Amino acid sequence: MARDLARLALVGLLLAVVAGGYTAVRIWQQGALDERRPVEAIIVMGAAQYNGVPSPVYQARLDHAIALFRDGVAPMLVVTGGKAEGDRTTEAAAGRAYAIGRGVPDAAILFEDRGRTTRESLAAVGALLRAAGVSTVVVVSDRTHMLRSLRIATDEALTAWGSPSATSPTDVDPVRRLDATVRELAALAVYFIEGGRPHR
């Protein structure tokens, strides 16, 4: 019995390693793709902000999304993200102010300011966009975050393509990119175990 259990444990470990390796490759493959195309809205995934000033990671995402907006990829920019405990403002509010300061019209910005996680933000954005009759989007985030963001957006009944920022500190630094990949593997595992909450 003990030998059989040990074999099962070994098989389970090997399967987990193979699954993790495959998913890591998929994370990097998706992050290497820029699928920009004409859509109805550009979604910018939130990141940390400090008293209304976007963090370097968030600024890289916003700069990329604003460039897409200026290039005519979509007529609408959607900024996302709530606030952490102790924050005076939200990620979405910081992103909106940043975009307006760089010439994006206020009327062209939609924001979701309650989500604390990728899943919460995209669920709220999905509801807002479906109510507005919008279904096609380009999602902007870091390279390592693209696979999970697109999967959740698809589960929220959005037709989504990814356009990752190429200047995020998370992607430029190999150590931070590896750390982000490990965190994404864990987050994807949790999402799949929970089964997601598709709104179809």
Side-chain angles (χ1 to χ4, degrees), residues 5-21:
L5 288 175
R7 287 175 179 169
L8 285 173
L10 180 59
V11 170
L13 178 61
L14 288 173
L15 288 174
V17 170
V18 170

Side-chain angles (χ1 to χ4, degrees), residues 68-200:
L68 294 179
F69 177 83
R70 289 174 177 164
D71 288 343
V73 169
M76 180 188 304
L77 197 65
V78 185
V79 290
T80 68
K83 62 180 178 179
E85 185 175 346
D87 284 352
R88 295 192 302 177
T89 188
T90 64
E91 295 169 6
R96 176 176 172 273
Y98 185 88
I100 290 173
R102 279 146 187 80
V104 179
D106 186 16
I109 301 174
L110 184 67
F111 67 98
E112 175 287 310
D113 62 356
R114 295 194 177 185
R116 293 287 304 278
T117 65
T118 300
R119 185 172 177 175
E120 290 176 358
S121 290
L122 285 172
V125 169
L128 287 171
L129 293 181
R130 288 194 302 274
V134 173
S135 62
T136 60
V137 300
V138 162
V139 179
V140 173
S141 192
D142 301 340
R143 295 183 189 276
T144 51
H145 193 216
M146 291 307 311
L147 182 66
R148 181 161 59 103
S149 297
L150 291 174
R151 174 55 194 259
I152 297 173
T154 299
D155 285 347
E156 292 298 330
L158 297 172
T159 301
W161 292 275
S163 183
S165 164
T167 60
S168 173
T170 302
D171 296 321
V172 173
D173 183 340
V175 174
R176 291 184 65 175
R177 186 177 185 189
L178 179 60
D179 179 65
T181 300
V182 172
R183 285 187 283 108
E184 283 301 311
L185 287 170
L188 279 165
V190 170
Y191 184 71
F192 288 134
I193 289 171
E194 293 179 348
R197 291 187 303 171
H199 295 261
R200 294 191 181 280

Side-chain angles (χ1 to χ4, degrees), residues 37-91:
R37 65 197 64 200
V39 291
E40 296 166 282
I42 300 164
I43 301 174
V44 192
M45 300 309 302
Q49 57 79 33
Y50 308 108
N51 291 322
V53 178
S55 64
V57 169
Y58 195 17
Q59 182 178 333
R61 297 179 186 181
L62 288 163
D63 286 339
H64 185 65
I66 291 167
L68 294 179
F69 177 83
R70 289 174 177 164
D71 288 343
V73 169
M76 180 188 304
L77 197 65
V78 185
V79 290
T80 68
K83 62 180 178 179
E85 185 175 346
D87 284 352
R88 295 192 302 177
T89 188
T90 64
E91 295 169 6

